[in-house]
Amino acid sequence: MLPNPEESAKDMGVLNIGNALPQSLVPIVAPAFLAIGTGGGNYSALFLFGAIAAVLGALAVQFIRSVK
């Protein structure tokens, strides 16, 4: 449900950025978490970061009151 039908292209652009940006940033950030510790494959740190990011995202969505 888009708030204003006359600005649907702008709203769809924002939606596309919201979908594509995380996929672009993870390959940049993931090597830093994989390099934590010894061995070079710390997937626990990477998955922990992913879980924390998911919880923060879920908390941020709670502040959306309603659709206009």
Side-chain angles (χ1 to χ4, degrees):
M1 173 172 222
L2 297 174
N4 186 357
E6 295 174 359
E7 296 183 354
S8 61
K10 180 190 72 158
D11 295 333
M12 294 300 287
V14 171
L15 178 68
N16 186 33
I17 290 171
N19 283 330
L21 188 63
Q23 296 174 17
S24 301
L25 294 179
V26 168
I28 297 169
V29 176
F33 286 99
L34 291 174
I36 294 174
T38 60
N42 193 353
Y43 286 96
S44 297
L46 181 63
F47 289 132
L48 180 63
F49 173 72
I52 292 170
V55 169
L56 290 176
L59 290 174
V61 170
Q62 297 298 319
F63 293 109
I64 299 174
R65 293 187 183 149
S66 68
V67 178
K68 292 183 181 180

